[in-house]
Amino acid sequence: EIVLTQSPGTLSLSPGERATLSCRASQSVSSSYLAWHQQRPGQAPRLLIYGASSRATGIPDRFSGSGSGTDFTLTINRLEPEDFAVYYCQQYGSSPWTFGQGTKVEIK
Amino acid sequence: QVQLQESGPRLVKPSETLSLTCTVSGGSIRSYYWSWIRQSPGKGLEWIGYIYYSGSTNYNPSLKSRVTISVDTSKNQFSLKLNSVTAADTAVYYCARGQVTFDYWGQGTLVTVSS
C-alpha cells in the first residue's frame, strides 16, 4: 500500500500568515488522486481538496492544492482563526486508500 | 443537507463482533457509494471499506477477512460488522458518503474493545 508522509508535524503560525503543508507518497499517486481533509477538534474530517488541486464544494479559495507524482502541497493563504486544525492528505489512486499522519496548524 | 449518524454499541468485548449502523437523512442512499473509516491514536485514519447502494463492496485487505458492509435501501441505512475484535480495533468509527473521496461524514462514534 502507498504510505503518505506529511511534514511538518506541527506548524506554528499567526492569523493572516500563509501555511504550506507537504505530503510525500512512497510511490507515485496515479492521476493525482490525492485529497486533503481538515479536522477540527471533536469533529469529523472535512474534504477540502480532491484531484490534488480541485476545491470541494463550499471551500474558500484561500485553500489551494498542487503537486503530482509523489509530492503534493496544501497552501492556506491568509490564515483565519477557524483554519487552525489538523490537516490530512489521502490517496485514492491505489487500493487501499491511505491517509497521512496529519499536520497540526496551531496558533503561534 | 445530507446528514449521517452512526449508532451501535460503544463497548464490545474482545473476540466478539462490532456492529454499527449509519442512517442517512436529507437524501437518498441510492446512486451513491458509502464508506466506513476509523481513527485511532495508534494508526490514525484508516479506510475500512465501501459499499454501493446496489450492494457491491470493496474492503481494505488488512481487514477484509473480518469485515462485512451491508446496505438496506428501504431504511436508508448501511452497516458495518467487524468480527473477532481486539483492543487494536478500539477507535472512532465514521461513516461517510463516497467511494474514494468523502464529502459527507457522520460525527463519529467511539467504540472501545474491552472486557
Side-chain angles (χ1 to χ4, degrees), chain A residues 1-4 25-30 91 93-94 96-99:
Chain A
E1 69 179 44
I2 294 178
V3 176
L4 299 177
S26 60
Q27 56 189 277
S28 183
V29 177
S30 62
Q91 69 80 25
S94 173
W97 323 143
T98 51
F99 293 83

Side-chain angles (χ1 to χ4, degrees), chain A residues 38-46, chain B residues 6 39 94-95 105-108:
Chain A
Q38 175 195 66
Q39 187 174 34
R40 295 171 178 148
Q43 296 186 14
R46 176 174 73 139
Chain B
E6 303 90 351
Q39 184 173 31
Y94 294 101
C95 57
W105 295 64
Q107 64 185 26

Side-chain angles (χ1 to χ4, degrees), chain B residues 7-83:
Chain B
S7 59
R10 308 298 174 89
L11 180 64
V12 183
K13 291 182 169 55
S15 80
E16 296 190 344
T17 297
L18 180 158
S19 296
L20 294 174
T21 295
C22 183
T23 301
V24 179
S25 59
S28 175
I29 204 167
R30 293 180 177 274
S31 301
Y32 287 99
Y33 287 87
W34 304 90
S35 291
W36 287 97
I37 297 152
R38 68 182 183 179
Q39 184 173 31
S40 62
K43 295 196 73 175
L45 286 162
E46 182 178 27
W47 170 71
I48 299 171
Y50 67 68
I51 189 166
Y52 193 44
Y53 79 100
S54 63
S56 61
T57 56
N58 185 25
Y59 302 133
N60 190 321
S62 68
L63 298 168
K64 188 173 184 177
S65 63
R66 300 193 291 130
V67 171
T68 302
I69 298 176
S70 58
V71 65
D72 185 338
T73 54
S74 68
K75 294 182 179 179
N76 236 33
Q77 294 176 334
F78 63 106
S79 298
L80 169 70
K81 290 189 186 299
L82 180 66
N83 58 36

